[in-house]
């Protein structure tokens, strides 16, 4: 069973539907018992880092998720959920993340040339930087759907894929059993479904 | 490099997809769910659902159809029509919409875009602007393109972007349904005024119209059309192959 963490952030309907579409047993929950019993956990998220981090810590889920990740259980963050895996974010101030992966979250405006639109919205190609089971069914150059204004920096050890938007931008990360996608696999057509399927079928 | 998006628009009335010529004389085309699945499978980059009658008579969107579509379609889905309050945003987002498009609602309530952007993020808020030339200026029209608001369009669009609209759909009433090509003059004016993604709508009749659009105006991010896709006059796979051949960044 895959458990999608429900902490009042974002639309989880599509994420749940897309896991169902690849044949995975999936549930949306904030119940720790369900999360503890799950084989794998998805940390979703859209909106502002500060709000999401506050919601996650005020419910005590931050510490809980870190403990679960330490047991070796696969955990994948998506979009803002990926950004929350890092140590800290500089989105409107400075805010702590879960610290499961080394790195920081910084504004795209600081790294891409002026004239490029922010947010980075749309389909962009994946460049595979490291072999990883998450991308086992993905070919170099396949497109996925991005919507974001901040990106993961200082994380060269964990980057498994980048995308080009005036500069190489972190697209996917992996560190042992912890994974993250900056893009939305649940909105990336068949390419995205292949990534979700790879996660769902990963051996625990 | 980010790719240029091709977006079929499904105008929905009574649970069916319809498309009017200059917004009148509606013709039934097909089932929204079937069309959405078809488009998703053949390369559409995104889908837009508009409840075209909602802004006139306040009819609520058919959320069952939206939900069913969102369950089967795994590309971004934008929903518009009858969006007048943040509660309307909430209602369609819960049914699986990724972005919500406001048109008349933003004209009636200038605070709507800002309020929604604060709650759901700018990326979720799309301004759909129906624009028409009146007496030498571009004007914003309301109520499905039937009512001249008297407001100058470009300045109004710029203010909406400043207030939190994350994308702008520019629908030229002058070229809509005519199939003579996109309204390049109008689109250029909008691209110069805002820094958020601009989606061109109204006027596409053939593949070359999209090539001309993206070649002439690099600031346009996406092309939107309805009937030419629904009736198979332009096949999305052919269109995208031609775009790639013309060195336009395209998701194949």
């Amino acid at each position: 069973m895959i458990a999608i963490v429900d902490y009042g952030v974002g639309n989880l309907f599509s994420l749940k539907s897309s896991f169902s579409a690849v044949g995975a047993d999936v549930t949306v929950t904030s119940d720790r018992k369900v999360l503890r019993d799950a084989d794998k956990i998805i940390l979703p998220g859209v909106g502002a880092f500060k709000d999401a981090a506050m919601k996650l810590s005020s419910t005590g889920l931050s510490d809980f998720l870190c403990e679960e990740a330490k047991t070796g259980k696969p955990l994948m963050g998506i979009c803002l959920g990926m950004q929350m895996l890092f140590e800290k974010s500089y989105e409107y101030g400075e805010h702590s993340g879960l610290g499961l992966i080394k790195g920081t979250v910084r504004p795209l405006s600081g790294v891409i040339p002026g004239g490029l639109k922010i947010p980075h919205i749309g389909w962009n190609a994946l460049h595979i930087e490291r072999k990883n089971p998450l991308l086992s069914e993905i070919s170099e150059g396949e497109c996925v759907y991005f919507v974001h204004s901040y990106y993961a920096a200082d994380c060269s050890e964990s980057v498994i894929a980048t995308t080009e938007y005036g500069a190489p931008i972190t697209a996917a990360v992996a560190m042992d059993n912890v994974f993250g996608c900056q893009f939305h696999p649940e909105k990336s057509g068949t390419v995205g479904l292949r990534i979700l399927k790879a996660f769902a079928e990963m051996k625990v | 490099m980010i790719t240029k998006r091709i977006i079929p628009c499904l105008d929905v009335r009574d649970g069916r997809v319809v498309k009017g010529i200059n917004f009148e004389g509606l013709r039934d085309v097909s089932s929204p769910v079937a069309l959405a699945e078809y488009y998703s499978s053949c390369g559409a980059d995104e889908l837009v659902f508009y409840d075209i009658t909602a802004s006139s008579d306040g009819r609520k969107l058919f959320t069952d159809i939206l939900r069913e579509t969102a369950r089967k379609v795994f590309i971004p889905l934008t929903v518009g029509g009858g969006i007048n309050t943040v509660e309307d945003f909430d209602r369609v987002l819960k049914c699986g919409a990724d972005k919500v498009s406001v048109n008349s609602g933003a004209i009636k309530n200038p605070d709507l875009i800002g309020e929604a952007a604060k709650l759901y993020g700018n990326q979720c808020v799309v301004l759909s602007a129906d624009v028409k030339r009146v007496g030498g200026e571009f004007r914003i029209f309301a109520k499905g393109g039937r009512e001249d608001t008297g407001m100058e369009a470009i300045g109004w669009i710029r203010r909406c972007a400043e207030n939190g609209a994350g994308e702008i759909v520019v629908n030229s009433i002058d070229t809509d349904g005519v199939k003579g090509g996109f309204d390049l003059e109008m689109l250029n004016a909008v691209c110069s005024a805002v820094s958020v993604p601009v989606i061109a709508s109204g006027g596409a009749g053939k593949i070359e119209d999209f090539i001309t659009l993206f070649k002439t105006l690099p600031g346009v991010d996406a092309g939107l059309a309805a009937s030419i896709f629904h009736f198979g006059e332009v096949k999305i796979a052919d269109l995208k192959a031609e775009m790639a051949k013309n060195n336009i960044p395209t998701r194949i």
Side-chain angles (χ1 to χ4, degrees):
Chain A
M1 160 91 80
I2 294 172
I4 301 171
V5 184
D6 181 5
Y7 59 110
V9 173
N11 169 19
L12 308 180
F13 182 81
S14 299
L15 199 49
K16 182 169 188 272
S17 302
S18 55
F19 271 115
S20 298
V22 298
D25 184 14
V26 61
T27 189
V28 174
T29 185
S30 56
D31 184 335
R32 288 168 199 226
K33 188 180 178 316
V34 178
L35 289 166
R36 197 172 286 128
D37 291 346
D39 303 314
K40 289 162 188 164
I41 295 176
I42 294 287
L43 180 62
V46 294
F49 190 99
K50 185 185 167 192
D51 295 348
M54 273 170 61
K55 277 183 182 154
L56 206 56
S57 61
S58 67
T59 49
L61 280 169
S62 301
D63 295 339
F64 175 80
L65 288 174
C66 289
E67 285 161 26
E68 285 296 300
K70 281 182 189 118
T71 67
K73 184 181 285 189
L75 167 69
M76 180 159 75
I78 292 175
C79 199
L80 179 62
M82 178 206 83
Q83 297 184 355
M84 305 230 324
L85 300 174
F86 291 92
E87 293 160 310
K88 60 183 167 182
S89 167
Y90 292 97
E91 180 180 335
Y92 296 110
E94 187 179 325
H95 312 285
S96 294
L98 297 178
L100 290 168
I101 298 183
K102 204 174 153 230
T104 56
V105 178
R106 296 174 183 275
L108 279 175
S109 58
V111 68
I112 67 173
L116 284 179
K117 295 177 184 185
I118 294 175
H120 171 218
I121 298 186
W123 295 81
N124 210 335
L126 286 176
H127 301 301
I128 296 171
E129 305 287 347
R130 266 195 194 91
K131 272 188 80 160
N132 188 275
L134 188 66
L135 305 177
S136 58
E137 300 301 316
I138 302 304
S139 307
E140 170 68 23
E142 286 194 293
C143 285
V144 290
Y145 188 77
F146 290 85
V147 184
H148 63 121
S149 301
Y150 291 79
Y151 76 105
D154 315 316
C155 56
S156 55
E157 294 154 34
S158 60
V159 173
I160 58 171
T162 57
T163 193
E164 191 69 25
Y165 191 56
I169 302 298
T170 304
V173 291
M175 187 48 74
D176 304 324
N177 58 313
V178 180
F179 304 85
C181 297
Q182 177 61 69
F183 55 90
H184 286 274
E186 78 280 17
K187 288 290 156 186
S188 297
T190 55
V191 176
L193 293 181
R194 273 184 262 135
I195 293 171
L196 295 179
K197 191 164 193 281
F199 181 76
E201 292 177 354
M202 221 176 256
K203 294 277 179 287
V204 181
Chain B
M1 175 109 71
I2 197 143
T3 59
K4 300 294 181 185
R5 288 173 273 160
I6 297 300
I7 308 176
C9 174
L10 290 71
D11 288 350
V12 179
R13 190 183 67 178
D14 300 331
R16 304 282 290 175
V17 175
V18 292
K19 172 63 190 176
I21 305 298
N22 283 332
F23 295 110
E24 283 169 25
L26 300 178
R27 275 192 290 173
D28 203 349
V29 182
S30 189
S31 140
V33 182
L35 261 178
E37 273 191 295
Y38 167 73
Y39 284 134
S40 178
S41 70
C42 71
D45 295 308
E46 199 167 322
L47 290 169
V48 176
F49 266 35
Y50 277 134
D51 183 348
I52 51 168
T53 58
S55 55
S56 309
D57 59 15
R59 188 186 298 152
K60 294 300 182 192
L61 280 169
F62 298 100
T63 42
D64 286 347
I65 282 189
L66 173 59
R67 191 173 272 271
E68 196 184 335
T69 306
R71 193 172 283 136
K72 293 178 173 172
V73 173
F74 302 109
I75 59 176
L77 189 57
T78 301
V79 169
I83 305 296
N84 296 304
T85 63
V86 289
E87 287 74 29
D88 291 325
F89 271 75
D90 193 56
R91 172 171 52 89
V92 296
L93 288 171
K94 278 190 177 136
C95 292
D98 300 290
K99 312 183 205 180
V100 182
S101 163
V102 291
N103 189 324
S104 294
I107 297 167
K108 279 182 276 186
N109 174 9
D111 296 329
L112 178 61
I113 285 176
E115 287 168 11
K118 202 175 285 173
L119 277 171
Y120 305 108
N122 294 21
Q123 85 292 333
C124 186
V125 184
V126 180
L127 171 70
S128 173
D130 291 332
V131 185
K132 189 177 182 351
R133 288 168 183 77
V134 179
E137 70 168 6
F138 295 121
R139 290 260 182 90
I140 287 291
F141 274 62
K143 300 193 174 171
R146 292 191 298 274
E147 188 183 288
D148 184 357
T149 64
M151 286 192 293
E152 189 279 321
I154 307 302
W156 189 76
I157 289 170
R158 185 192 291 123
R159 288 195 297 281
C160 288
E162 286 164 1
N163 289 340
E167 286 187 300
I168 314 288
V169 176
V170 182
N171 185 36
S172 169
I173 297 174
D174 295 323
T175 60
D176 187 74
V178 178
K179 298 189 180 180
F182 288 98
D183 197 329
L184 301 177
E185 185 195 21
M186 184 185 290
L187 288 160
N188 188 38
V190 174
C191 286
S192 308
V194 300
S195 60
V196 296
V198 172
I199 298 166
S201 165
K206 54 190 184 302
I207 286 176
E208 289 70 30
D209 294 336
F210 289 88
I211 307 295
T212 305
L213 171 73
F214 294 127
K215 284 279 185 193
T216 314
L217 298 175
V220 170
D221 296 86
L224 180 150
S227 60
I228 57 162
F229 295 140
H230 304 329
F231 292 119
E233 292 162 53
V234 170
K235 291 199 167 56
I236 290 178
D238 298 344
L239 166 58
K240 295 185 98 176
E242 197 61 27
M243 284 167 62
K245 221 170 84 184
N246 281 273
N247 299 317
I248 296 165
T250 308
R251 178 181 75 110
I252 298 289

